[in-house]
Amino acid sequence: MNNAESPSIEAALAWARKTLSQSDSGALDSRVLLCHCLGKGLSYLMTWPDKALTDSQWQDFQTLVCRRASGEPVAYLTGHREFWDLDLQVSPDTLIPRPETEHLVEAALENTPKTSRKVLDLGTGTGAVALALAKERPAWQVLGVDYQSKIIELAASNARRNGINNVRFQVSDWFQQLSDTSFDLIVSNPPYIDDEDHWLAQGDVRFEPRSALVSGNQGLADIEAIASQSGGYLSQDGLLIFEHGYQQGPQVRAILIRQGFSRVTTLSDLAGLERITLGYR
Ligand SMILES: C[S@@+](CC[C@H](N)C(=O)[O-])C[C@H]1O[C@@H](n2cnc3c(N)ncnc32)[C@H](O)[C@@H]1O
């Protein structure tokens, strides 16, 4: 197809909306993907609806829209996602950071003194939680760990991309490769979905790594493993805080109490669902 045959922005968007008409987010996804192909913001699409795409822009756009129509998450297609006020690179090796995980960041900030703290983020993925905490609290020293080097490289690249220096990232299978043994705060959004959960077969989540999502013992095995070792890595009165599934509050509280944590509390989200549980050493 030559340049003259490439459609205008308005026509390209109309084609994409039709192609994605099965999806509730088809119109938004169309705009986000076109912005990505043009390297422009949303206002550009509104200002120049009659401007023709180049051949390569049109080809790229069609490819991405077709991939989106077959279910691939927009964040994997564009390679990045906003979280907190950070622009994070994502890859199919990492979970796509969720808006609900911002509650984990808020809970960690609200329940920890602002003064200098040593913080551990277990299962850091893109570095979302570690980077948000480090950005909000420049006096804190944050360590993010994950068990694959390609994930750690991505998180470190996200720190550079966002100009955050009080954070470092390390490969570790939970605590196994850590040399430091005293943190004031341990925060984790670990895998917590049961292997047989039907939700794993739906929508964007089908494309995310199972190793980021699924845990044994009805989704509780990693929470249990982390809670059982955290006591040995927390300073006196240090805080352990988890994100978990909305039906797991009672079990996570029981795990923390069994492991000797005190003031164990579960926080609910705006919909009233129990999503975060914390306890003090
Ligand atoms: C639910 S994702 C959370 C990612 C990120 N913290 C976020 O909130 O977007 C869980 C993360 O735990 C990591 N993980 C799973 N098992 C692990 C282990 N044994 N040791 C370290 N990290 C692990 C996965 O690779 C994944 O990045």
Side-chain angles (χ1 to χ4, degrees), residues 3-4 6-9 38 44 48-55 57:
N3 203 15
S6 292
S8 67
I9 285 175
L38 301 184
Y44 185 90
W48 305 105
D50 297 330
K51 201 167 172 62
L53 274 59
T54 65
D55 273 2
Q57 288 168 340

Side-chain angles (χ1 to χ4, degrees), residues 95 97 101 123-125 128-129 145-147 151 172-174 189-191 211-212:
L95 187 91
T101 301
T124 199
V129 173
V145 308
D146 214 292
Y147 68 165
I151 297 179
S172 180
D173 180 352
W174 297 141
N189 173 19
S211 53

